[in-house]
Amino acid sequence: MPAVPTLPTDHQALIDRLVDAPQGVVVVTPNRRLARALELVVAERHIVSGNRSWPAPDVLPWDSWLVRFYEVASFAEGGEPLPELLPRAVERLAWENIVSRDGGEATLVGASVLAREAQSAWRLAQEWHVTVGSGREAFATEDTQSFTRWARAWEAESARRRWIDEARLPTIVPTMLERVGHQKPCLVVAYAFDLLKPAQREVLAACEQAGVSVAHVGPPAQVVVPRRVAMTSPREELELAARWARTRLEAWRGERMPRIAVVVPALAEQRELVRRVFSRVLAPGGEAGLFDLSLGRPLLEFPLVDAALTAIDLVSGAIPFDRASRLLRSPFLAGGEAERGSRAGLDLALRDVVPPLMDFHLLARLVADVSRAAPGRGKPPSCPALEHVFRMVSETALPSRAAEPSEWASAYARVLAAFGFPGERPRNAAEHQTLAKWNEALAALGALGAVSGRITGAAARRHLREACAETLFQPDAGEAPVQVLGLLESVGLDFDALWVCGLTDDAWPQSPRPHPFLPVLAQKEAGVPQASAEASLELDRRITRGWARAASEVVFSHALADADRALAASPLLTEVDVADAGSLMVGTQPTRFDALFAAGQALDAFTHFEDESGPVLTDSSPRGGTRILADQAACPFRAFARHRLGAEGIESVEPGLGAAERGILLHALFASVWESLVDHASLVSKTPDELKAIVDKAAQRSVRRLKAELPGRLEGRFEELERERLARVALEWLQAEKGRTPFSVVQTEERMELAAGPLTLRGQVDRVDRLDNGTLAVIDYKSGRASVGGWLGERPDDPQLPLYAHSMKEPVGAVAFATLRAGKRRFEGLSRQSGWIPQVGVVSSHQTASKHYGSWDQLLQGWREAIDALAVAFVKGDARVDPKRQGATCQRCDVGSICRVRERVALEDEDRSDDDGESEEAEASTGEPS
């Protein structure tokens, strides 16, 4: 081992050593980001010196260093072999087996969940030397007693099979040092460890005893006076932090890239909000690479991995159609790019015939059937590459019974190869890294055989999915000048400018979080920082001090309120000077980053202009029925997109019947019932048995009609249950009809033309009664939510019945919903006089229900004016993005991806309560015959 020069004592000395003489030096850090930051500093020094290549410094996170050290030692010759190191996924499975054999809690909570907690408790106990089963039975809880049993079983199992886990690697470091001999480093530098755990101290002590020099170096400390700023809300706090980061970026004068950081303690929970805010401020024109979110996402959420898992699940059993649909349209299958358009058309055609759940063989058969003939969809889509993929997959078999995990991993790889995964499209850097991470997860599945033995396919898929869900991953896109960091990732780093958000009194210092599986007293005695309020406070105080000297400019911030909760500054900020928010937005002069921002702003100005009107409509009889007017009232752009541009949302395939299908059944049911009954007199004259026979026949006819229109949606026992439900609804409703004054039914499901301003619309009225006073009552069946208030105002939510009322050739005395919801079967509506229909209100100046109008005639006139105005606006091409109720209107809109209103309106701040929203059935009903 070479002679050791003077040990580095500070950050600058360490960088000098890594630049000038890195051989034999290992630098260990608390986390991977800190290791990467040190490597970049060394690289910057070499670049400034004009070097085009240089020896890479040996900088690793602590855990990675220990695992690498073990691997080197295990291959060294001589001495007793080291125990086998289990990967974390394999160790987790071993814990799960132990927990499952123990029973009890595992039955209620799930062995997988408990194994994850047990593994973390074991790691914490080893790192901090917390005694498991300390003999303090008086302080033991049911959880700690269970963990003690599991830990003892794990110790016995690992001793018997000569296993070791990562948490216990420090215990064999002396042996590892003996085995590596001259290969051990000459110097180990512990960099930026604010607090060394007992196990870490033992490792470093063992290194020193073996003749390895050990140095402790902290991050650079800058002399700065931090400032504190308070904002009204957490969202405004994020907005200000993003604008501050932009001004610092614009003001940067250095040759190297600046290091500007914004710390968001709750980044995991607020990741999407943070991304939107920083994208809007730092990348308004789509500029890439100006900021980076540090916290990764579960591997499961990446489209490439989702496609792989979906393909495996599809060949293994039935999956929901929405997952199969994503796979059909995925670019990660063979031919996915070349057949992108035709596969989208195929997916659309499949929605008419598929059940909610399907397996691979059913999907392949339906794809073949639809490809030969796609009724109602025009020319059948041609997807020869997809058909070839399905043939290849059908020839690839999975194990038919329990098998070794390695066999399942190999079989899944073959299945994916048959699907042509990951597709022929050139992959970008992020997809290359994601694919590599997926291959690691598949390899980890194969490694489970060390503890599992033979497992079923369902177990293999569960382990694979859990591994992808628990793996946080973020592709390396290179360094960005602005870093948005989580709490722990920021500790030990140094920056040019630093902003720390969210330092409120309820969030900082953090509340103690002792592990529930370890005795709290034992954790406190071991010094675990999260075990007590005192230790947690001291740790957070040290972190705060570290932030205060981590940059030449430091800003702490907090919100004054969050919704209806009042907030205050953290007590750890009491000595920090308060600053005005405006003083942080310093003026700047042009820099090299301004060109990026200027280009984005110029593009923004060039591509964005107001154009709220389309061409005038020349067709006076457009398709769409009364839905045109309802959409125009809800949002002019919705009406323009749906009925002028032909845009429509893709219907989802759900289990059972949706609102639209149930509506079809109910309309057909009551049309058939009143064909037989005709009037009130006939209804009251029927015996219960006669009425039941009429209703049963009508229910059978309505189900038969739906089956003809939508084959495959009602079969077997489900068909029988639906007939029984329809008959029950009809009998209960007819009892309510018996209490009415005499009437006769003169129209059911009758098509008619409706005049609305310059438009002639087609509609189909559910039912028209002639009352005993000679006037007509227009009735609309509703199985969902209905509101009379939806008829009123200049922008009525549901103008269908008002338009029907105006289109009748005889006087109309009442309009009403026949509400068929369970528990609320009643009439709801308005009439000229009381008593004509039960529960229907009277329009008069004394009725609060008619606050817009004082009489029936005024109501009819108001309806006519509102309907005509909506029709005229539609014909003129009014296409304003003007949702009537913002969030409530946009929540159920299927053309939001075209108007992109969600990027302009903060929907999360809107009231989304159903009471203020549009009726569910208003969306489903078009008012036009199919």
Side-chain angles (χ1 to χ4, degrees):
M1 191 167 59
V4 181
T6 304
L7 298 182
T9 57
D10 58 25
H11 175 80
Q12 189 58 53
L14 173 62
I15 298 302
D16 291 342
R17 176 67 186 274
L18 294 178
V19 169
D20 299 332
Q23 296 80 8
V25 180
V26 175
V27 181
V28 291
T29 63
N31 56 59
R32 191 171 301 279
R33 179 168 290 273
L34 202 49
R36 175 64 176 159
L38 273 181
E39 290 174 345
L40 288 175
V41 172
V42 172
E44 287 172 356
R45 283 278 300 275
H46 281 290
I47 292 172
V48 170
S49 300
N51 299 329
R52 304 186 66 178
S53 63
W54 54 86
D58 196 3
V59 186
L60 295 94
W62 178 272
D63 291 342
S64 299
W65 173 59
L66 279 184
V67 171
R68 191 189 68 177
F69 193 11
Y70 168 86
E71 291 170 350
V72 172
S74 63
F75 285 105
E77 296 180 358
E80 185 181 354
L82 296 176
E84 179 185 358
L85 175 62
L86 294 185
R88 290 192 184 184
V90 179
E91 180 197 347
R92 169 78 58 80
L93 183 57
W95 280 102
E96 187 174 329
N97 292 339
I98 290 171
V99 172
S100 298
R101 291 195 295 267
D102 192 51
E105 286 183 82
T107 305
L108 298 174
V109 181
S112 178
V113 175
L114 291 175
R116 182 167 57 249
E117 292 301 315
Q119 187 181 25
S120 68
W122 176 259
R123 186 176 188 86
L124 184 69
Q126 301 307 310
E127 290 174 338
W128 289 93
H129 293 179
V130 178
T131 304
V132 178
S134 58
R136 294 177 172 137
E137 286 76 10
F139 301 100
T141 65
E142 188 174 341
D143 286 338
T144 60
Q145 290 173 345
S146 296
F147 176 69
T148 298
R149 293 195 304 274
W150 303 336
R152 287 171 179 165
W154 168 239
E155 287 177 320
E157 178 85 356
S158 55
R160 181 176 64 84
R161 303 183 66 167
R162 284 191 52 78
W163 288 340
I164 194 168
D165 49 78
E166 287 186 23
R168 285 186 291 176
L169 280 181
T171 64
I172 63 169
V173 164
T175 304
M176 291 158 57
L177 287 165
E178 289 179 8
R179 286 180 63 87
V180 297
H182 66 279
Q183 297 182 54
K184 58 178 174 282
C186 64
L187 172 63
V188 173
V189 180
Y191 179 77
F193 282 86
D194 185 64
L195 180 65
L196 282 170
K197 301 168 185 174
Q200 292 172 332
R201 289 198 298 267
E202 286 188 354
V203 169
L204 297 178
C207 289
E208 288 184 306
Q209 190 172 357
V212 177
S213 298
V214 174
H216 299 268
V217 177
Q222 305 190 47
V223 179
V224 63
V225 178
R227 292 176 289 175
R228 169 164 59 96
V229 63
M231 297 302 293
T232 304
S233 67
R235 188 182 185 111
E236 289 187 9
E237 186 184 5
L238 279 177
E239 294 273 1
L240 183 65
R243 294 202 307 273
W244 170 87
R246 175 168 174 159
T247 63
R248 296 309 177 267
L249 186 56
E250 291 172 337
W252 180 251
R253 297 288 181 274
E255 290 298 321
R256 63 171 174 81
M257 181 182 292
R259 292 189 292 269
I260 302 166
V262 176
V263 177
V264 182
L267 183 58
E269 296 79 12
Q270 296 180 313
R271 191 180 198 280
E272 199 54 34
L273 173 62
V274 172
R275 184 194 62 78
R276 290 200 304 268
V277 169
F278 277 77
S279 295
R280 184 169 61 252
V281 175
L282 284 167
E287 305 87 345
L290 290 182
F291 79 95
D292 175 54
L293 291 181
S294 68
L295 193 65
R297 293 184 291 142
L299 187 61
L300 188 70
E301 295 180 4
F302 286 80
L304 183 145
V305 175
D306 176 72
L309 290 172
T310 301
I312 291 170
D313 288 343
L314 179 64
V315 298
S316 302
I319 64 173
F321 175 74
D322 66 328
R323 294 188 65 201
S325 167
R326 289 202 306 273
L327 185 64
L328 283 178
R329 295 177 283 113
S330 172
F332 302 112
L333 268 60
E337 282 293 297
E339 296 181 350
R340 180 173 53 185
S342 54
R343 290 187 189 184
L346 175 65
D347 173 72
L348 189 63
L350 280 172
R351 292 171 186 272
D352 290 338
V353 296
V354 296
L357 295 173
M358 57 171 44
D359 60 15
F360 170 76
H361 298 291
L362 176 59
L363 178 62
R365 179 172 62 80
L366 290 175
V367 165
D369 293 345
V370 170
S371 297
R372 285 193 294 269
R377 296 290 184 183
K379 182 181 178 180
S382 176
C383 303
L386 181 64
E387 294 176 10
H388 175 72
V389 164
F390 281 178
R391 285 195 297 272
M392 296 296 294
V393 173
S394 64
E395 297 171 2
T396 306
L398 293 175
S400 58
R401 60 189 68 184
E404 292 291 333
S406 57
E407 294 180 60
W408 286 112
S410 298
Y412 293 154
R414 291 193 302 271
V415 165
L416 293 177
F419 271 107
F421 179 84
E424 71 278 0
R425 184 187 71 176
R427 291 181 291 280
N428 57 34
E431 289 171 342
H432 272 292
Q433 295 174 62
T434 306
L435 180 61
K437 205 68 178 176
W438 160 257
N439 289 332
E440 289 178 15
L442 204 57
L445 170 65
L448 296 181
V451 298
S452 69
R454 301 172 71 83
I455 59 175
T456 64
R461 295 194 303 278
R462 177 176 68 83
H463 289 306
L464 184 58
R465 177 169 289 275
E466 286 180 355
C468 293
E470 294 171 8
T471 300
L472 291 181
F473 174 64
Q474 182 169 10
D476 185 1
E479 289 300 310
V482 177
Q483 298 285 326
V484 184
L485 307 172
L487 176 64
L488 296 180
E489 296 169 302
S490 66
V491 176
L493 291 172
D494 67 295
F495 311 98
D496 297 301
L498 171 65
W499 182 301
V500 185
C501 298
L503 298 182
T504 56
D505 56 349
D506 66 337
W508 194 254
Q510 301 175 92
S511 301
R513 301 182 308 278
H515 200 292
F517 281 6
L518 297 172
V520 175
L521 183 58
Q523 293 181 65
K524 289 181 178 180
E525 291 176 347
V528 178
Q530 296 82 14
S532 68
E534 297 81 8
S536 183
L537 173 62
E538 181 55 32
L539 175 63
D540 293 349
R541 182 178 284 120
R542 287 200 301 270
I543 292 174
T544 306
R545 286 198 297 263
W547 283 332
R549 53 178 183 260
S552 57
E553 180 187 7
V554 177
V555 180
F556 297 130
S557 68
H558 66 91
L560 296 174
D562 185 4
D564 57 352
R565 286 193 307 127
L567 301 172
S570 165
L572 297 180
L573 303 183
T574 53
E575 298 180 1
V576 179
D577 294 337
V578 177
D580 178 72
S583 66
L584 300 175
M585 302 294 109
V586 298
T588 62
Q589 298 176 1
T591 69
R592 60 196 175 107
F593 290 100
D594 281 355
L596 287 172
F597 291 123
Q601 290 167 348
L603 179 66
D604 189 67
F606 178 75
T607 58
H608 289 74
F609 56 92
E610 293 294 328
D611 182 12
E612 297 182 334
S613 295
V616 174
L617 179 68
T618 57
D619 182 6
S620 62
S621 301
R623 290 183 56 83
T626 60
R627 185 73 258 160
I628 291 176
L629 302 180
D631 287 338
Q632 187 73 27
C635 177
F637 183 82
R638 180 195 289 185
F640 188 85
R642 282 181 172 175
H643 308 291
R644 297 289 302 277
L645 301 180
E648 60 178 326
I650 298 177
E651 295 182 6
S652 60
V653 179
E654 302 290 345
L657 298 177
E661 289 86 358
R662 292 187 182 278
I664 291 172
L665 284 171
L666 287 172
H667 286 73
L669 170 74
F670 283 105
S672 179
V673 166
W674 287 111
E675 282 179 11
S676 301
L677 292 177
V678 180
D679 56 23
H680 182 264
S682 176
L683 170 64
V684 297
S685 67
K686 299 296 183 184
T687 66
D689 289 341
E690 291 173 332
L691 206 56
K692 186 176 185 306
I694 291 172
V695 165
D696 287 343
K697 183 178 179 182
Q700 189 172 13
R701 289 175 62 184
S702 64
V703 168
R704 190 161 56 242
R705 172 182 166 182
L706 180 71
K707 290 181 65 177
E709 294 182 6
L710 299 172
R713 298 306 296 273
L714 271 180
E715 301 293 342
R717 177 60 177 161
F718 293 106
E719 177 183 350
E720 181 183 347
L721 290 172
E722 191 58 31
R723 283 201 307 268
E724 293 174 359
R725 186 190 72 85
L726 290 171
R728 185 169 61 254
V729 170
L731 288 172
E732 291 177 6
W733 179 253
L734 291 176
Q735 290 301 314
E737 296 264 26
K738 286 182 179 181
R740 291 178 56 188
T741 57
F743 65 89
S744 59
V745 178
V746 295
Q747 293 182 28
T748 58
E749 301 292 313
E750 186 169 316
R751 300 185 180 188
M752 57 191 302
E753 289 191 345
L754 310 168
L759 296 176
T760 300
L761 304 176
R762 292 179 295 275
Q764 183 167 299
V765 63
D766 290 356
R767 173 176 155 192
V768 179
D769 290 358
R770 186 180 304 281
L771 305 178
D772 59 354
N773 57 39
T775 62
L776 301 180
V778 183
I779 297 173
D780 188 32
Y781 295 113
K782 290 289 184 183
S783 59
R785 186 174 288 103
S787 171
V788 173
W791 299 336
L792 309 178
E794 296 179 356
R795 296 172 67 174
D797 293 332
D798 192 358
Q800 182 176 343
L801 276 180
L803 185 54
Y804 287 155
H806 267 288
S807 301
M808 295 295 158
K809 295 181 172 57
E810 299 180 53
V812 174
V815 290
F817 291 125
T819 305
L820 303 174
R821 293 170 62 192
K824 195 179 181 181
R825 294 194 173 115
R826 50 180 286 183
F827 284 104
E828 297 179 73
L830 297 170
S831 66
R832 184 181 290 272
Q833 292 185 19
S834 63
W836 288 4
I837 299 180
Q839 293 102 30
V840 169
V842 178
V843 177
S844 72
S845 58
H846 304 292
Q847 295 293 324
T848 58
S850 56
K851 58 185 178 181
H852 295 88
Y853 313 102
S855 68
W856 180 256
D857 292 334
Q858 288 183 19
L859 174 67
L860 295 180
Q861 180 60 30
W863 282 350
R864 170 52 62 193
E865 293 172 356
I867 288 169
D868 288 351
L870 292 172
V872 168
F874 178 75
V875 169
K876 286 183 176 180
D878 182 10
R880 290 168 298 130
V881 178
D882 182 23
K884 181 178 178 180
R885 293 190 183 88
Q886 296 288 14
T889 300
C890 299
Q891 190 176 10
R892 299 189 182 95
C893 182
D894 58 0
V895 296
S897 59
I898 303 176
C899 74
R900 300 170 69 183
V901 69
R902 290 173 178 84
E903 298 178 19
R904 299 173 48 190
V905 181
L907 294 182
E908 61 269 23
D909 295 333
E910 297 294 332
D911 180 7
R912 295 188 176 190
S913 66
D914 286 336
D915 293 341
D916 292 336
E918 298 166 287
S919 71
E920 295 172 6
E921 193 145 338
E923 272 307 299
S925 174
T926 64
E928 181 183 22
S930 56

